[in-house]
Amino acid sequence: MIYLDNSATTRPFDSVIKAVSDNMAENFGNASSLHGMGVRAEKVLKDAKAVILGKLGLDGNIIFTSGATESNNTVLSGIPAAHRHGGNRIVTTSFEHPSVAKPLEKLSATGYDVVKIRPPKRDEPQDFEQRVINAVDGNTLMVSVMWVNNETGFITDTAKIYNAVKRINPKTFVHVDAVQGFCKLPAKTLRADLISLSAHKIHGIKGIGALYCAKGTRFEPLLYGGGQQGGIRSGTEPIDLIAGFAEAVRSYPDCTEKYAELNERLISRLSQLDGVVFNSYGNAKNILNFSVRGVRSEIMLHFLEEREIYVSSGSACSKGKTSGVLAEFGVSDKDADCAIRVSMSPSTAENDIDALAVEISNGIKRFRR
Ligand code: PLP
């Protein structure tokens, strides 16, 4: 089996499965309990926070959530609710994940001025960050930009945006959905007041995510209840999943060179095939989006699946429907219909890339009209 759909989700590392099951079996206490079992559970929580902060290279707080969808919703409902006089403008991009785009639609309907900055097309000046910065004014409550786009891999220099935004309006909150970049890109281009993370994209378990908050960042909770996690996110902390999240962060190796080499290999193999065009540019090297002209994504996907090669037709969230994100990157509807996304993991090997290219070539011979 060759699994190349790691932007959708990943196979948990063996060390993660062990950490989760060990904690389920032996460390099932409630972190709020005052006895020793509670103290042990609380220690797992504290250690996990330290591991994630260490990887981010930031000071501040980590709130555990059920995933990045919850982290994004927490920010986009909680910041406006806690800062009603903090400004009416929200600057974002036209290629956000639906867990950012949909809450923003709601805010727009309630009167917020939501400004969406589109990415540069491949042959345009690569001035995306500057256009985001130019949209920020004294009335801007928040900037919300993703670090790495889940469909094309496009990278945003969030540190550049953060530094400039704080000079223009120190009160503007900067939020980054860092799901697809975390552990895969060096943290130096990541800077924000609020950062959304998800464990299952880095070989942790589904159902656990985090929200990084810079010191002093105030927002209204999304969930009210027993007041866990300082009252910011109620609900008994899933210590086992949290232990697995921390283990995933610890175990994710530096794949910078590996991904660059595999990406180059894939591009070189696919370039030899007639009618393959690349939709990714300025991208993280673990993600490559391309179109195989004349063969619809769904047909190619199932052809590859029969050969036990798993890729995606775009983003898993759009379930086969064109999400509109590729159009933002200048991909025609016709090419978007034939788009394939390959996303790698630390265990992806050169042989996997070669086998994929061979089967795509076979698929073209079989199906292209
Ligand atoms: N943000 C991005 C960029 C994603 O790719 C995803 C998952 O596909 C999410 C947010 C949602 O993450 P989760 O599945 O943890 O809710």
Side-chain angles (χ1 to χ4, degrees):
M1 194 258 264
I2 300 175
Y3 185 77
L4 292 168
D5 198 12
N6 291 282
S7 290
T9 197
T10 57
R11 181 191 185 281
F13 287 138
D14 289 343
S15 60
V16 166
I17 296 172
K18 184 171 181 332
V20 173
S21 64
D22 285 357
N23 274 275
M24 284 173 78
E26 291 154 25
N27 192 19
F28 55 85
N30 185 323
S32 300
S33 294
L34 295 178
H35 50 66
M37 289 288 286
V39 173
R40 269 183 65 194
E42 201 187 0
K43 183 170 181 326
V44 171
L45 199 71
K46 275 198 182 143
D47 290 351
K49 287 184 182 189
V51 168
I52 296 170
L53 285 173
K55 191 73 178 182
L56 290 171
L58 296 173
D59 286 333
N61 194 13
I62 294 289
I63 312 291
F64 289 105
T65 62
S66 60
T69 297
E70 185 188 323
S71 303
N72 286 338
N73 275 270
T74 300
V75 171
L76 296 166
S77 74
I79 291 284
H83 302 273
R84 293 201 189 275
H85 304 291
N88 190 49
R89 173 171 279 205
I90 299 175
V91 179
T92 186
T93 80
S94 60
F95 52 89
E96 290 300 312
H97 187 267
S99 57
V100 167
K102 295 218 163 137
L104 283 175
E105 271 172 33
K106 230 177 111 187
L107 287 170
S108 173
T110 63
Y112 279 91
D113 170 26
V114 176
V115 180
K116 294 185 195 168
I117 309 298
R118 62 168 189 81
K121 305 270 157 60
R122 185 193 293 276
D123 50 2
E124 286 179 348
Q126 303 297 300
D127 61 348
F128 172 67
E129 287 84 1
Q130 193 54 50
R131 284 187 286 115
V132 171
I133 295 160
N134 293 347
V136 174
D137 61 13
N139 191 36
T140 302
L141 172 66
M142 182 166 36
V143 172
S144 179
V145 291
M146 73 194 331
W147 192 13
V148 172
N149 179 262
N150 47 306
E151 296 193 42
T152 65
F154 183 78
I155 303 172
T156 297
D157 186 341
T158 64
K160 180 174 176 181
I161 291 175
Y162 176 90
N163 292 330
V165 166
K166 292 294 171 179
R167 278 195 297 272
I168 297 166
N169 183 355
K171 289 192 176 144
T172 300
F173 294 96
V174 178
H175 167 238
V176 172
D177 174 347
V179 165
Q180 297 288 350
F182 186 51
C183 294
K184 295 163 192 173
L185 290 186
K188 66 175 186 296
T189 63
L190 176 61
R191 190 73 212 278
D193 301 304
L194 297 136
I195 298 175
S196 301
L197 304 171
S198 179
H200 75 97
K201 309 287 186 179
I202 55 161
H203 306 269
I205 305 280
K206 292 164 198 60
I208 181 76
L211 178 61
Y212 160 83
C213 315
K215 280 191 186 124
T217 310
R218 259 189 330 106
F219 55 85
E220 287 276 322
L222 189 64
L223 301 181
Y224 289 90
Q228 290 89 343
Q229 303 200 62
I232 291 172
R233 202 284 191 178
S234 285
T236 305
E237 300 89 341
I239 292 303
D240 27 36
L241 302 185
I242 290 169
F245 191 175
E247 186 54 36
V249 174
R250 270 191 222 101
S251 304
Y252 204 105
D254 179 356
C255 292
T256 316
E257 270 178 40
K258 179 189 174 103
Y259 288 151
E261 281 166 18
L262 290 175
N263 187 276
E264 204 178 311
R265 191 177 185 96
L266 181 55
I267 290 177
S268 133
R269 295 287 186 279
L270 294 177
S271 300
Q272 292 163 22
L273 307 180
D274 196 30
V276 172
V277 291
F278 297 98
N279 303 322
S280 295
Y281 49 90
N283 57 307
K285 300 300 178 199
N286 57 308
I287 301 177
L288 187 71
N289 194 308
F290 54 91
S291 294
V292 182
R293 286 184 171 155
V295 186
R296 297 196 49 214
S297 311
E298 228 179 288
I299 307 271
M300 184 60 90
L301 207 91
H302 292 308
F303 177 78
L304 293 173
E305 184 189 351
E306 281 162 18
R307 282 139 192 86
E308 291 198 77
I309 300 177
Y310 298 91
V311 297
S312 168
S313 60
S315 88
C317 311
S318 50
K319 271 230 157 147
K321 276 187 252 145
T322 314
S323 68
V325 165
L326 288 181
E328 292 297 314
F329 286 91
V331 179
S332 68
D333 286 352
K334 217 168 159 196
D335 280 350
D337 267 352
C338 304
I340 298 284
R341 179 188 68 184
V342 167
S343 45
M344 303 168 197
S345 82
S347 58
T348 305
E350 289 181 348
N351 287 346
D352 300 335
I353 297 300
D354 295 350
L356 170 71
V358 166
E359 293 304 342
I360 287 181
S361 169
N362 290 337
I364 292 174
K365 283 180 202 138
R366 166 93 71 95
F367 296 112
R368 184 174 282 155
R369 273 181 264 142

